[in-house]
Amino acid sequence: MSYFSDRDQEFPGSDDCEASFQKLKTSLTTIPVLVSPSSLGMYTEGQVITYASCQLKIHEKNYPVHDLELAAIVHALKIWRHYLYGIKAQQFDDPHLVVLREAVLQGSAKEVSIGEDGVLRLQGRLCVPNSHGLRERILEEAHSLRYSIHPGATKMYRDLRKHYWWRRIKMDILGLTKSAHFIPIVTTYTPEILAQIYIREIVRLHGVPVSIVSDRGPQFTSHF
């Protein structure tokens, strides 16, 4: 196939080439790689079938193929990770979502719906239950994982609200991205003592920071 993809080569259309093409097509559409969808829509031979696409950003157009493949995997994990989290089962552990589900079944909920996969959604966004620390896991992943790159509270909120919904989601994000520690000290403490306090009270809880902005001058950070 690589040989005949050259623009100067003509595809002969021989029996051997046709057999190779059919073998390649079969390999690409055989479980666990891909399954050809049927008239049943998202379900074929007991397997869930779904597809997703997104437009490349300007800088992504310069990515090599293997980076684009990785970006596709990350994109798939972002929009389908609720299957990994088990959101459907955990929605029944949240009393508020149980009430919303009953309202949908009774036909009294306008903006809430139950998808073909049985997951409760509000205007297409997943309703995340307040159980088993699921919300905290989603926030931590969006905030801390390497591929997400900490975007700040506003950007993080806009990204999460595309896929997820729960009450007070914005307040939870602000609580994660903005925090303060008030520690009593004496104004006569030397930078060395302040650095020791910082390690004991801050680094112990949050780890070593990437950068430090201090009004104490270079004497403070020089003791790390």
Side-chain angles (χ1 to χ4, degrees):
M1 294 298 292
S2 299
Y3 175 76
F4 291 116
S5 63
D6 193 292
R7 67 174 59 186
D8 296 328
Q9 298 294 332
E10 295 183 2
F11 192 81
S14 63
D15 293 340
D16 291 340
C17 291
E18 179 64 23
S20 298
F21 173 75
Q22 294 298 332
K23 182 178 180 180
L24 178 62
K25 185 173 68 173
T26 301
S27 299
L28 291 175
T29 57
T30 301
I31 297 175
V33 181
L34 287 176
V35 180
S36 298
S38 66
S39 58
L40 297 178
M42 292 185 63
Y43 298 92
T44 302
E45 300 176 0
Q47 302 292 324
V48 178
I49 306 300
T50 186
Y51 297 90
S53 63
C54 64
Q55 185 174 0
L56 293 177
K57 298 180 176 64
I58 295 178
H59 64 278
E60 292 176 336
K61 294 180 180 180
N62 298 322
Y63 284 4
V65 174
H66 63 275
D67 285 349
L68 289 175
E69 292 174 345
L70 177 60
I73 295 175
V74 172
H75 177 68
L77 289 175
K78 283 184 176 180
I79 62 177
W80 291 320
R81 58 184 154 191
H82 58 283
Y83 291 109
L84 302 176
Y85 289 146
I87 285 183
K88 177 182 176 181
Q90 295 186 33
Q91 284 182 341
F92 291 94
D93 297 332
D94 190 318
H96 176 65
L97 297 186
V98 171
V99 173
L100 287 179
R101 183 178 290 272
E102 292 178 353
V104 173
L105 297 176
Q106 295 173 3
S108 58
K110 297 181 179 180
E111 298 181 342
V112 187
S113 62
I114 300 177
E116 295 182 6
D117 54 2
V119 177
L120 191 68
R121 289 177 170 84
L122 175 68
Q123 295 180 337
R125 293 177 289 166
L126 293 168
C127 297
V128 181
N130 186 19
S131 64
H132 305 285
L134 184 57
R135 295 177 179 177
E136 289 75 13
R137 286 172 58 192
I138 293 175
L139 290 174
E140 183 65 24
E141 179 178 307
H143 180 263
S144 302
L145 291 190
R146 293 180 179 179
Y147 67 75
S148 60
I149 305 176
H150 174 37
T154 302
K155 179 64 165 56
M156 182 176 172
Y157 170 69
R158 291 176 180 175
D159 289 343
L160 286 179
R161 72 187 301 271
K162 294 178 182 178
H163 307 292
Y164 303 107
W165 174 87
W166 68 80
R167 293 182 296 179
R168 297 176 58 84
I169 180 174
K170 193 168 187 177
M171 296 300 298
D172 290 345
I173 292 175
L174 289 175
L176 178 67
T177 58
K178 298 181 183 296
S179 62
H181 294 266
F182 298 93
I183 304 170
I185 62 173
V186 178
T187 56
T188 56
Y189 279 173
T190 64
E192 182 178 4
I193 296 177
L194 291 174
Q196 293 175 354
I197 294 175
Y198 184 86
I199 293 174
R200 183 176 67 247
E201 301 295 338
I202 306 301
V203 175
R204 175 177 59 86
L205 298 174
H206 304 285
V208 180
V210 176
S211 62
I212 299 176
V213 179
S214 172
D215 60 357
R216 294 283 179 173
Q219 295 84 0
F220 174 72
T221 55
S222 64
H223 290 281
F224 286 88

